[in-house]
Amino acid sequence: MTSPLPSSSAASVLDLAPVVPVVVLADAADAVPLARALVAGGLPAIEVTLRTPAALDAIRAIAEGVPEAVVGAGTVITPEQVGAGTAAGARFLVSPGWTEALLAAMRGSGVPFLPGVSTTSEVVALLERGVREMKFFPAQAAGGTAYLRSLAGPLPQARFCPTGGIGPQTAPEYLALPNVGCVGGSWMIPADAVAAGDWGRIERLARTAAGLRDAGERCR
């Protein structure tokens, strides 16, 4: 299967950038300028969550209007959403949790996916099924860096994108862990900046977030 991710990068969503912006849009008209600002700031992987009626149109607009972005569908909780997201142009899928039916649909989608986990048993169950890359959610509430650090010893083959309650102060601590490829967050997309169309501010915040990998290295 040909990866839908850029050929110049590794074939994993976890390796595209240190931070994946988690985007909730009420108006699809904001999708293209927002995506352009995030990409210009160094964050090409963009997760548009399927929490609003505008989400699928936003994914479609980014896929068509910002080809340098790698747009994904997040908060995917049903097989139907898998199909709708990929039909709109999503190049990866993210779920807050998983079931056998949802996992089967994501496997059959033809794009990379990150099923959500919050317990050791869920991680082991996915490893048994050949899935090694996962979303850890809700990261802070589920144990944070201490929990993920504890998993690295017995389950070193699992890699995570922690999401949920992470901000610019805590992101470097996560990125310093050997089993974390990237983190997800929305702090670089303030609602007031989106409402005002202040894409320059969002680009500056994205650029700062894109540099957090180096801060994570210093935390090791």
Side-chain angles (χ1 to χ4, degrees):
M1 179 187 302
T2 301
S3 171
L5 302 181
S7 59
S8 60
S9 73
S12 170
V13 175
L14 300 185
D15 298 323
L16 291 175
V19 179
V20 175
V22 179
V23 177
V24 182
L25 285 175
D27 188 345
D30 293 325
V32 167
L34 174 61
R36 286 175 177 160
L38 292 171
V39 170
L43 300 180
I46 301 169
E47 176 189 339
V48 178
T49 65
L50 301 184
R51 302 181 195 174
T52 68
L56 291 173
D57 286 338
I59 291 171
R60 189 174 294 108
I62 295 171
E64 295 174 356
V66 193
E68 61 271 36
V70 181
V71 63
T75 320
V76 175
I77 58 174
T78 68
E80 291 75 21
Q81 288 179 326
V82 170
T86 54
R91 296 165 67 183
F92 65 93
L93 303 167
V94 184
S95 69
W98 65 279
T99 65
E100 294 291 358
L102 181 58
L103 185 63
M106 290 193 291
R107 279 189 185 278
S109 69
V111 301
F113 56 92
L114 298 173
V117 297
S118 60
T119 69
T120 305
S121 294
E122 291 169 335
V123 175
V124 172
L126 284 177
L127 290 174
E128 284 183 348
R129 290 157 176 80
V131 178
R132 297 176 180 270
E133 297 186 345
M134 312 165 196
K135 171 179 177 173
F136 181 61
F137 175 83
Q140 288 288 88
T145 55
Y147 194 96
L148 286 172
R149 188 179 295 110
S150 296
L151 291 181
L155 303 171
Q157 63 272 53
R159 296 182 73 213
F160 301 95
C161 173
T163 304
I166 299 174
Q169 292 77 30
T170 54
E173 301 171 12
Y174 282 93
L175 293 168
L177 299 176
N179 54 352
V180 169
C182 63
V183 301
S186 58
W187 71 86
M188 74 298 298
I189 317 168
D192 60 338
V194 175
D198 191 349
W199 312 120
R201 178 184 172 197
I202 290 174
E203 179 180 340
R204 291 190 294 274
L205 289 169
R207 186 169 293 111
T208 300
L212 290 176
R213 176 82 67 194
D214 294 336
E217 291 292 335
R218 291 194 292 272
C219 288
R220 291 181 187 267

